[in-house]
Amino acid sequence: MTARILVVDDIEANRDLLETRLTAEYFDVIAAENGQQALDICASTPVDLVLLDIMMPGIDGFEVCERLKANPATSHIPVVIVTALDEMADRVRGLEAGADDFLTKPVNDVQLLARVRSLLRLKMLTDELRLRAVTARDIGLDTLFDAPEAGSECEKPRVLFIEERQAAFDGLVKPLRNGFAIEHASDPQEGVFKAAENDFDCVFVAARFEKFDALRVCSQMRSLDRTRFVPIILVADADEDELIERALELGVNDYIVRPVDPNELTARLRTQVRRKRYHDGLRDNVAHSIELAVTDGLTGLHNRRYLDTHLETLVARAHSREKNLSLLITDIDRFKSVNDSYGHDAGDDVLREFARRLRVNVRGMDLACRFGGEEFVIVMPDTPAHVAADVAERLRAQIEEDGFVVSNGTHTLPV
């Protein structure tokens, strides 16, 4: 995995040490010796991850992190705070400033590389979603680029704890009861099913079970479509470095070590919820953009772009299965006179009502599209020609017999 990592530290020896470790793993490393220089680099150079010292002259690491996360152009860059401070209050302050993780000097090589690789995988996903959303916005398909921030929704974040020991579960969730909707699964396999069947904002997984491998729980959740993007936080003991490293390689988003500090637990959970909702917003944005790209805005039917894409597939499928396929092409007679006599708003009313009647008169398996102007196409799989002709005549008669109400009910037109 190649990536550009920015190391920020006012002490040259510390910068050199981190640069040597990361360069040996084939990362592209750039350095900054103060907070302002780091902000300038992030503003002008693509950066995939920031390793940020706290105690620096001028702008300290907390403020640098806050500024990066407040700027939409850099808010998606993962920030790992690397500092000699080992006070829990500093950890929590860093996480609340928007940091994605926290490492204490002297930095353990295994933890450093595991954290970096885990966050870079997440950054690749974020970049892909952002690129799709930006592309959609730039070509005019969507104006809702900014994803919602965590906490913008009224509902409490839903959190699942997969933990066999009742006492351990009770101790973990005590500080979370007021701000989160908590659910519990004492059986690991039950927990996987529960996570797949519900929409959770985060799942905590205990590192040890009596008769089940915790890493298998994490692996199963990452392999299921419903839970692939749900944040997972591993709850481990201090001496389980190897298990933590393997968990991060499997796609676990974060871990917390027992004995758990309530403030750190809350801060890490909020970080994961905020990130998930940001990603969910981007995914919804992309899905909405795709829908706009293939939907006719006036009638709500699929448009010609969608027809062009899918007709060949439908024809090939009919050939391979030796099934009938019928194509029904409609055109509204003298439609120009409607626009000329009653105005384009009335013409739009006719097109919308015409599309509604198409939907009512065809099956769910049929593909109804607006081809352009007043022309519409219906693709009818598994339909012989004489049946399609009957459908067409029924539709034609219904259009002719029932007038079209236009201009807010002031006129009824024969079409």
Side-chain angles (χ1 to χ4, degrees):
M1 179 186 297
T2 59
R4 178 174 292 150
I5 299 176
L6 171 62
V7 176
V8 188
D9 199 307
D10 60 318
I11 300 175
E12 184 177 3
N14 291 339
R15 296 197 303 270
D16 291 344
L17 181 60
L18 286 173
E19 184 172 358
T20 300
R21 291 174 176 174
L22 295 168
T23 303
E25 299 296 324
Y26 304 101
F27 292 111
D28 177 17
V29 182
I30 53 179
E33 59 187 35
N34 59 61
Q36 187 58 56
Q37 189 178 0
L39 292 171
D40 293 341
I41 290 173
C42 289
S44 60
T45 305
V47 173
D48 295 303
L49 186 140
V50 178
L51 294 175
L52 178 64
D53 185 37
I54 291 298
M55 304 301 292
M56 295 184 294
I59 306 174
D60 67 17
F62 294 126
E63 185 175 348
V64 172
C65 185
E66 288 173 350
R67 290 194 191 184
L68 288 174
K69 294 301 182 179
N71 184 351
T74 57
S75 62
H76 62 289
I77 302 175
V79 176
V80 179
I81 290 178
V82 185
T83 179
L85 299 175
D86 198 19
E87 292 293 329
M88 189 57 65
D90 295 311
R91 286 176 177 264
V92 174
R93 184 181 173 190
L95 293 168
E96 289 179 344
D100 297 88
D101 214 329
F102 199 109
L103 292 172
T104 303
K105 299 175 184 176
V107 177
N108 178 288
D109 283 358
V110 172
Q111 289 188 10
L112 170 67
L113 295 175
R115 285 299 197 184
V116 165
R117 291 187 177 117
S118 175
L119 289 171
L120 287 175
R121 282 193 294 268
L122 188 66
K123 171 70 162 45
M124 290 172 63
L125 170 64
T126 305
D127 287 347
E128 181 179 352
L129 291 171
R130 284 173 58 86
L131 178 61
R132 292 179 181 177
V134 169
T135 301
R137 180 193 62 186
D138 289 346
I139 64 176
L141 293 177
D142 205 349
T143 58
L144 303 172
F145 173 69
D146 292 328
E149 288 290 328
S152 63
E153 301 174 22
C154 296
E155 294 183 9
K156 290 183 179 180
R158 294 184 65 192
V159 183
L160 172 66
F161 281 79
I162 305 178
E163 167 62 79
E164 286 180 331
R165 297 170 296 171
Q166 184 66 41
F169 165 72
D170 291 340
L172 281 172
V173 303
K174 188 176 180 180
L176 305 176
R177 291 288 189 188
N178 291 332
F180 301 88
I182 305 296
E183 297 189 35
H184 179 214
S186 58
D187 178 78
Q189 208 59 58
E190 174 201 344
V192 174
F193 292 136
K194 196 168 187 176
E197 292 169 358
N198 296 273
D199 184 21
F200 289 105
D201 291 289
C202 188
V203 176
F204 283 83
V205 179
R208 297 290 178 186
F209 298 107
E210 185 177 346
K211 297 180 180 179
F212 206 86
D213 186 351
L215 296 183
R216 189 168 298 280
V217 173
C218 301
S219 175
Q220 288 177 347
M221 289 183 59
R222 282 292 169 260
S223 66
L224 297 173
D225 289 340
R226 291 291 305 275
T227 56
R228 183 161 295 150
F229 301 114
V230 177
I232 302 173
I233 298 179
L234 187 75
V235 185
D237 293 327
D239 59 350
E240 295 183 306
D241 287 349
E242 184 178 347
L243 186 144
I244 290 170
E245 181 187 2
R246 292 182 62 196
L248 291 170
E249 290 175 354
L250 284 171
V252 167
N253 300 79
D254 199 357
Y255 69 90
I256 193 162
V257 175
R258 292 188 174 98
V260 175
D261 178 86
N263 294 321
E264 183 182 4
L265 174 70
T266 304
R268 289 191 181 276
L269 177 54
R270 284 176 178 160
T271 296
Q272 294 302 325
V273 171
R274 181 176 65 245
R275 183 186 294 152
K276 178 181 183 292
R277 291 186 172 179
Y278 177 73
H279 283 170
D280 287 349
L282 288 176
R283 288 191 191 93
D284 291 345
N285 207 281
V286 171
H288 180 56
S289 300
I290 293 172
E291 182 180 354
L292 289 177
V294 297
T295 303
D296 175 59
L298 178 65
T299 64
L301 298 177
H302 288 302
N303 60 18
R304 182 171 179 173
R305 180 187 288 113
Y306 188 89
L307 177 67
D308 290 343
T309 302
H310 285 77
L311 182 57
E312 186 175 349
T313 301
L314 293 172
V315 171
R317 185 181 300 168
H319 275 301
S320 65
R321 297 177 180 178
E322 298 183 349
K323 298 287 187 180
N324 290 295
L325 179 80
S326 293
L327 199 67
L328 193 160
I329 304 174
T330 79
D331 177 86
I332 300 176
D333 290 341
R334 294 175 292 280
F335 182 73
K336 184 176 181 297
S337 66
V338 176
N339 287 328
D340 292 344
S341 302
Y342 300 95
H344 287 279
D345 287 344
D348 290 347
D349 290 340
V350 169
L351 293 174
R352 279 190 289 263
E353 174 61 14
F354 189 87
R356 188 193 68 80
R357 297 188 190 184
L358 281 187
R359 282 192 292 264
V360 169
N361 282 279
V362 301
R363 303 165 298 180
M365 64 185 292
D366 298 330
L367 174 61
C369 302
R370 184 183 179 191
F371 194 68
E374 70 274 24
E375 296 174 335
F376 296 78
V377 172
I378 303 172
V379 185
M380 309 175 74
D382 297 341
T383 306
H386 71 277
V387 174
D390 291 342
V391 173
E393 174 55 26
R394 184 176 70 245
L395 177 63
R396 187 207 63 76
Q398 200 268 344
I399 294 294
E400 184 180 46
E401 291 169 6
D402 298 334
F404 282 61
V405 178
V406 300
S407 304
N408 294 319
T410 58
H411 297 92
T412 300
L413 309 181
V415 175

